[in-house]
Amino acid sequence: MEIGVVITAGGLGKRLGGEIPKQLLELRGKTMWRHSVDSFLRNKHIKAVVLTVPKEWQDHFADSSIIVATGGKERWQSVKNGIEALPQSISHVMVHDGARPFVSDDIINSVAEALEKNCCMVAKPVFDTVKITESGFVKNTIDRKSVWLAQTPQAAPVALLKELYKKMEGFPDFCPTDEASILEKFGVSIKIVEGNAQNDKITTIEDMEKFLCSNGP
């Protein structure tokens, strides 16, 4: 099994504000995308790293240690482009959000171990009480033991994802938000690898401030 990773940095991060893509913002001494890339380059399981980026900003992500691919209109299209850019020797792929800059080596190792037998994804358990609402009123309460918040990496065999991308052509209205959504759509089992708050996504200014103020890895 040869594992590669596709790191998505193809969005413009408009919810964070600013004039440049959020992946180019500095966080704890280096750009956000660099944190993610370095985590995977250091890991013993990862044989190739592809970074998907906005076409008009591609020069800002040049790096001889990685493969840079053009991001698509939707996240899944960016990932598809990234998978196509992987070396042919790569049999399995992890997909990771570039806006989750502090993924740990332990999480990457756990995903690699799970990937030997299953498609898998990182998620963290919910500890708060979760309510379902309707028209602004509480309808019922979900058993939080069954609720997990999706994170990345999410991982699967390359050949399987390519096969499912072809199947998606028959569902033009289907716009998945992550790889797990694609696997679910076509009935593929997905094993959970437990994540943590350090692997949360940076989407808003408040998220950025949280990571700037924490001690971090």
Side-chain angles (χ1 to χ4, degrees):
M1 182 173 68
E2 293 283 297
I3 305 174
V5 61
V6 173
I7 301 174
T8 59
L12 295 177
K14 293 180 181 179
R15 281 175 287 185
L16 193 62
E19 299 179 354
I20 64 172
K22 67 181 177 183
Q23 303 89 341
L24 291 170
L25 295 176
E26 188 168 300
L27 184 63
R28 299 186 192 169
K30 54 185 176 183
T31 53
M32 194 184 301
W33 71 269
R34 187 78 253 179
H35 284 284
S36 298
V37 165
D38 287 349
S39 293
F40 285 96
L41 286 175
R42 287 193 300 264
N43 187 272
K44 62 183 179 181
H45 296 288
I46 304 302
K47 307 304 180 185
V49 175
V50 174
L51 184 71
T52 65
V53 305
K55 184 176 181 180
E56 60 272 29
W57 291 88
Q58 199 156 336
D59 291 345
H60 294 263
F61 296 88
D63 187 304
S64 61
S65 62
I66 61 174
I67 301 164
V68 176
T70 303
K73 182 179 179 181
E74 302 291 344
R75 181 189 183 281
W76 73 267
Q77 294 168 326
S78 294
V79 174
K80 184 174 182 289
N81 292 347
I83 288 174
E84 293 293 339
L86 284 167
Q88 289 188 349
S89 60
I90 299 299
S91 61
H92 292 68
V93 62
M94 297 185 191
V95 180
H96 186 67
D97 294 328
R100 298 182 190 274
F102 300 116
V103 60
S104 70
D105 204 48
D106 286 343
I107 285 179
I108 299 172
N109 289 338
S110 295
V111 172
E113 182 179 352
L115 190 52
E116 292 181 3
K117 296 182 179 179
N118 301 280
C119 295
C120 59
M121 64 174 291
V122 178
K124 69 175 186 178
V126 170
F127 298 107
D128 294 329
T129 299
V130 181
K131 301 290 186 182
I132 298 297
T133 65
E134 187 175 284
S135 302
F137 290 86
V138 173
K139 188 176 181 181
N140 61 284
T141 302
I142 293 179
D143 180 0
R144 62 188 175 195
K145 293 178 182 178
S146 64
V147 179
W148 291 71
L149 299 178
Q151 296 186 328
T152 62
Q154 301 183 5
V158 169
L160 174 60
L161 285 175
K162 288 183 175 180
E163 176 188 337
L164 297 185
Y165 287 137
K166 289 187 179 295
K167 287 186 176 182
M168 283 175 60
E169 295 173 4
F171 300 87
D173 295 329
F174 176 50
C175 187
T177 55
D178 61 5
E179 289 59 57
S181 299
I182 300 173
L183 297 169
E184 291 170 48
K185 174 76 173 178
F186 297 103
V188 179
S189 297
I190 309 161
K191 183 177 177 60
I192 291 290
V193 173
E194 187 165 343
N196 52 48
Q198 195 64 37
N199 192 36
D200 283 347
K201 189 175 183 180
I202 296 177
T203 303
T204 65
I205 292 174
E206 289 77 13
D207 297 332
M208 178 73 85
E209 290 174 346
K210 178 183 74 172
F211 281 104
L212 285 172
C213 293
S214 65
N215 293 327

